[in-house]
C-alpha cells in the first residue's frame, strides 16, 4: 500500500479535487490510503469563527459557518450530480449542524478552550475527507471515508496532541486492513485525532503531513506521497533567489535539517515515522502530476555539489547574556539555558565565550517574561531583526575548505556574520546575519555553491527546462 496526502490547496475547489481523483486513480493499483487537509483556508476560518463566538459575536461566527457551508455545497455540486451528490449533501449538513451548535456553545461559554478549539477545527478535515471520498467514489472506484478520530489516537494535550503510536497502529490495522484487502481506497482527514476516550484532538497546525506519515509508518507503506502546490523541495527560497532549482533527491537527515530551519514544505515531524521504517517520502505537485518532485530517502547518491540546499530562518533575535564579572562562573551556561527551558523557548544556536553567551531564538519566543527572568541574574542585550542562514548537505561531512567558501561568499556580498555554528550533525553550517542582508547572502551563496566552479559534472539532476517556477515557495 501507499499513502497519498493532499494539502489544502490541492483540495481547494472542484477542479482541484478533480485533479486529486485523477492522481489517485493513476495509483489505484498500489492500494492507496488517501489523507487530506481541510480545503484551503478553512482551518483559519474555523478558528476565526471560534474566536468571534468566544468574543461574544455570535452572529459573525454563524455567518462564517454559513459561508463555509455554502462553499462546501457549491464545490460538491460543481463536481457531483445525481445520487452521488444526494448522498453527500446530508453528510455535509450534519457536520455543519454540529459545527453551528458548537459555535453556539462557545458563544455561551464566552471562551474558546483548547478542547473546544480542537473540536471546532476537526470539522475542516471531516468535511474535506467526505468531499474527496465522494468524488473518488463517483469515478467508480471503491472508496470509503474513514473517521480519523477512530484511528489516530493521541494524548490529551489539545491543539498539539502527541500521537499514541501503538494504539494508533492497532486502530489503523483494524480499520484499514479490511479495506485494503478488498482494494477499497480509504480517505481520512489529516491533522485530527482523538484521545482514547474519544475526545477530538489536533496534532498541531500543518499536521496533515505528520498524519500521513504516521499512517504510512503504521501500515508499512511502500512510499508516502505528499501532494502539494509546489514542484518539490528547492535548493533555496525562489523569492530570495530566482535561480533556485528543484532538488530531485535529498536524504532524510538533510530534509530534517532543512525543516528545522523553517523550510515550509513539510511539517517538521513528518519524517520521523518514515525514517523509523525507512519509507521514502515524495513531495509532488498536484498541479503538475507528471513532474518528478523530490524524493526524500535514507541514502542519496552524491551529486558532486558541496551542498544540497540553503535555507534562511527569518524572525530571529540574538539574546546576549554577559556574566557579572569578567568571566562566567561555573554552571552559568546551565543556569541560562534553564531559564530558556522554563519559558519553553527553543534555542536555535548558542555560542559562548569566557565572558558572555549569545543565543539565537525565534523572535516571538523571547518573551518579556523570559527576559525579565534572565535579567534577575545578569545583564541582557537583545538584538532583534536577525536571521539564521543554514547551508545543508551530506557532502559537507569532512569536506575541507567548505567553511572558507561559505564565509568567503557571504563576505563577498558585503554581509557581516554575527554568530557561527557548524552543526553537530556535520551536515550543516549555520550562521546569523542581519535580516536585511538575507537576500544578498543567499544569492551569493547560491551562485557560488550551485552554479560556480564547484558545480558538478553530472548535470542529470538539473530540472527540466520547461519546469515552472511559479509559486515555488517551499523553503
Ligand atoms: N488543516 C490544518 C491546518 O491548516 C492541517 C493541515 O493542513 O495540515 O493547519
Ligand atoms: Mg501543509
Amino acid at each position: 500500500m501507499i499513502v497519498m496526502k493532499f494539502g489544502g490547496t490541492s483540495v481547494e475547489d472542484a477542479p482541484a479535487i478533480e485533479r486529486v481523483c485523477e492522481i489517485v486513480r493513476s495509483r489505484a493499483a498500489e492500494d492507496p490510503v488517501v489523507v487530506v487537509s481541510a480545503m484551503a483556508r478553512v482551518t483559519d476560518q474555523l478558528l476565526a469563527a471560534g474566536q468571534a463566538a468566544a468574543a461574544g459575536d455570535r452572529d459573525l461566527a454563524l455567518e462564517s459557518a454559513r459561508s463555509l457551508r455554502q462553499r462546501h455545497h457549491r464545490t460538491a455540486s460543481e463536481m457531483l450530480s445525481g445520487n452521488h451528490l444526494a448522498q453527500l449533501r446530508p453528510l455535509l449538513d450534519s457536520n455543519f449542524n454540529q459545527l453551528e451548535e458548537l459555535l453556539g456553545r462557545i458563544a455561551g461559554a464566552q471562551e474558546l478552550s483548547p478542547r473546544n478549539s480542537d473540536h471546532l477545527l476537526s470539522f475542516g478535515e471531516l468535511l474535506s475527507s467526505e468531499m474527496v471520498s465522494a468524488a473518488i467514489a463517483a469515478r467508480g472506484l471503491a472508496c470509503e471515508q474513514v473517521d480519523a478520530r477512530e484511528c489516530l489516537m493521541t494524548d490529551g494535550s489539545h491543539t498539539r496532541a502527541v500521537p499514541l503510536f501503538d494504539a494508533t497502529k492497532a486502530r489503523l490495522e483494524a480499520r484499514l486492513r479490511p479495506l485494503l484487502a478488498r482494494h477499497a481506497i480509504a480517505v481520512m482527514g489529516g491533522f485530527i485525532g482523538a484521545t482514547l476516550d474519544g475526545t477530538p484532538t489536533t496534532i498541531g497546525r500543518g499536521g496533515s503531513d505528520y498524519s500521513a506519515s504516521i499512517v504510512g509508518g503504521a501500515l508499512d507503506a511502500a512510499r508516502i506521497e505528499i501532494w502539494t502546490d509546489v514542484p518539490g523541495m528547492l535548493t533555496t527560497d525562489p523569492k530570495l533567489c530566482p535561480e533556485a532549482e528543484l532538488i530531485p533527491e535529498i536524504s532524510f537527515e538533510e530534509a530534517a535539517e532543512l525543516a528545522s530551519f523553517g523550510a515550509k514544505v513539510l511539517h517538521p515531524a513528518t519524517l520521523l515515522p518514515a525514517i523509523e521504517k525507512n519509507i521514502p517520502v515524495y513531495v509532488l505537485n498536484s498541479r503538475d502530476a507528471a513532474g518528478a518532485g523530490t524524493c526524500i530517502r535514507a541514502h542519496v547518491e552524491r551529486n558532486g555539489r558541496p551542498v544540497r540546499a540553503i535555507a534562511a530562518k527569518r524572525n530571529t533575535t540574538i539574546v546576549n547574556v554577559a556574566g557579572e564579572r569578567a568571566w562566567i562562573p561555573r554552571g552559568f551556561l546551565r543556569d541560562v539555558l534553564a531559564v530558556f527551558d522554563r519559558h519553553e523557548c527553543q534555542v536555535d544556536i548558542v555560542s559562548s565565550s569566557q565572558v558572555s553567551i549569545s543565543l539565537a531564538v525565534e523572535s516571538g519566543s523571547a518573551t518579556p517574561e523570559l527576559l525579565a527572568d534572565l535579567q534577575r541574574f545578569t545583564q541582557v542585550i537583545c538584538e532583534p531583526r536577525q536571521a539564521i542562514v543554514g547551508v545543508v548537505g551530506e557532502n559537507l561531512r569532512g569536506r575541507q575548505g567548505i567553511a572558507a567558501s561559505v564565509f568567503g561568499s557571504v563576505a563577498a556580498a558585503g554581509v557581516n556574520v554575527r554568530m557561527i555554528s557548524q552543526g553537530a550533525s556535520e551536515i550543516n553550517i549555520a550562521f546569523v546575519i542581519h535580516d536585511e542582508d538575507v537576500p544578498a547572502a543567499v544569492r551569493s551563496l547560491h551562485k557560488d555553491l550551485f552554479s560556480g566552479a564547484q558545480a558538478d559534472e553530472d548535470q542529470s539532476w538539473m530540472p527540466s527546462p520547461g519546469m515552472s517556477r511559479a509559486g515555488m515557495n517551499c523553503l
Side-chain angles (χ1 to χ4, degrees):
M1 57 87 58
I2 62 171
V3 175
M4 307 176 73
K5 179 263 170 176
F6 294 90
T9 51
S10 297
V11 296
E12 67 185 348
D13 54 19
I17 296 178
E18 273 153 18
R19 284 194 293 273
V20 167
C21 293
E22 275 317 303
I23 295 168
V24 171
R25 187 213 290 279
S26 73
R27 311 286 210 257
E30 295 180 271
D31 290 332
V33 169
V34 174
V35 176
V36 293
S37 290
M39 293 173 79
R41 301 178 304 281
V42 167
T43 307
D44 287 333
Q45 287 163 4
L46 287 169
L47 195 56
Q51 283 158 350
D57 200 339
R58 183 192 294 252
D59 290 346
L60 180 62
L62 292 177
E63 183 47 42
S64 313
R66 261 193 298 280
S67 98
L68 284 172
R69 193 193 286 252
Q70 273 168 10
R71 176 174 169 201
H72 283 78
H73 276 291
R74 190 175 358 101
T75 306
S77 59
E78 280 165 14
M79 60 182 195
L80 298 173
S81 58
N83 263 349
H84 294 291
L85 182 60
Q87 278 164 15
L88 177 60
R89 285 209 189 283
L91 296 173
L92 299 181
D93 280 329
S94 135
N95 276 298
F96 279 111
N97 295 345
Q98 292 171 48
L99 168 64
E100 285 178 8
E101 195 194 314
L102 175 63
L103 287 171
R105 270 187 279 131
I106 293 169
Q110 294 183 320
E111 184 206 12
L112 182 58
S113 65
R115 183 185 164 112
N116 275 339
S117 174
D118 276 355
H119 188 183
L120 181 68
L121 297 196
S122 71
F123 287 105
E125 270 72 10
L126 290 172
L127 288 158
S128 64
S129 57
E130 294 287 12
M131 308 261 297
V132 171
S133 161
I136 294 174
R139 292 179 181 235
L141 296 166
C143 184
E144 209 172 287
Q145 193 255 14
V146 168
D147 187 339
R149 296 169 304 181
E150 290 166 14
C151 300
L152 203 133
M153 298 294 111
T154 72
D155 71 3
S157 32
H158 286 287
T159 75
R160 44 178 183 174
V162 179
L164 305 172
F165 290 95
D166 291 342
T168 299
K169 182 176 165 58
R171 298 284 191 107
L172 285 167
E173 288 282 357
R175 183 72 179 89
L176 297 187
R177 283 288 176 211
L179 290 182
L180 289 166
R182 58 181 171 87
H183 305 294
I185 297 166
V187 180
M188 60 187 268
F191 175 56
I192 62 175
T195 59
L196 290 170
D197 66 12
T199 309
T201 54
T202 62
I203 58 174
R205 292 302 304 270
S208 294
D209 294 346
Y210 190 25
S211 299
S213 99
I214 293 168
V215 173
L219 299 179
D220 292 305
R223 66 174 186 279
I224 296 163
E225 297 181 345
I226 305 289
W227 290 87
T228 171
D229 58 358
V230 296
M233 297 181 80
L234 301 184
T235 51
T236 195
D237 180 346
K239 284 195 223 116
L240 293 174
C241 174
E243 286 77 34
E245 298 165 6
L246 180 69
I247 302 174
E249 285 196 318
I250 183 169
S251 72
F252 283 134
E253 236 183 302
E254 290 169 332
E257 201 73 62
L258 284 175
S260 75
F261 281 111
K264 297 234 169 42
V265 75
L266 281 183
H267 182 279
T270 307
L271 294 173
L272 300 175
I275 292 171
E276 199 171 304
K277 292 281 182 78
N278 198 9
I279 301 170
V281 177
Y282 290 76
V283 179
L284 297 158
N285 185 357
S286 67
R287 293 176 183 278
D288 175 22
T294 297
C295 172
I296 311 168
R297 61 168 86 238
H299 297 293
V300 173
E301 294 299 314
R302 295 171 92 94
N303 65 13
R305 292 188 173 189
V307 306
R308 190 79 63 193
I310 302 162
K313 189 169 187 178
R314 316 295 289 261
N315 204 17
T316 292
T317 291
I318 300 179
V319 182
N320 291 300
V321 182
E324 277 182 351
R325 304 184 200 93
W327 70 93
I328 50 179
R330 257 181 64 201
F332 185 72
L333 184 57
R334 180 200 57 211
D335 294 344
V336 168
L337 288 175
V339 174
F340 283 80
D341 193 42
R342 211 164 37 245
H343 290 269
E344 293 181 5
C345 174
Q346 189 182 316
V347 176
D348 291 325
I349 296 184
V350 191
S351 73
S352 72
S353 73
Q354 296 285 60
V355 292
S356 67
I357 305 170
S358 299
L359 307 101
V361 302
E362 207 179 284
S363 296
S365 64
T367 57
E369 293 79 21
L370 179 144
L371 298 174
D373 226 1
L374 280 175
Q375 246 137 11
R376 240 176 262 161
F377 63 103
T378 186
Q379 185 197 350
V380 180
I381 299 166
C382 278
E383 298 174 69
R385 289 184 294 284
Q386 309 292 315
I388 303 174
V389 175
V391 172
V392 174
E394 300 271 7
N395 290 357
L396 296 183
R397 271 186 227 275
R399 189 172 175 123
Q400 279 177 26
I402 185 69
S405 339
V406 166
F407 294 114
S409 176
V410 175
V415 171
N416 183 33
V417 173
R418 315 290 314 284
M419 281 173 75
I420 298 176
S421 137
Q422 174 137 23
S425 66
E426 283 188 90
I427 67 160
N428 90 67
I429 296 174
F431 52 92
V432 181
I433 59 179
H434 264 296
D435 188 72
E436 67 207 29
D437 290 334
V438 166
V442 168
R443 256 180 249 137
S444 177
L445 283 167
H446 201 275
K447 178 162 90 25
D448 292 338
L449 300 172
F450 287 90
S451 47
Q454 303 185 68
D456 60 46
E457 319 75 63
D458 168 19
Q459 298 289 310
S460 60
W461 68 284
M462 298 288 282
S464 58
M467 192 183 85
S468 149
R469 290 188 191 280
M472 297 193 292
N473 56 352
C474 62
L475 282 176

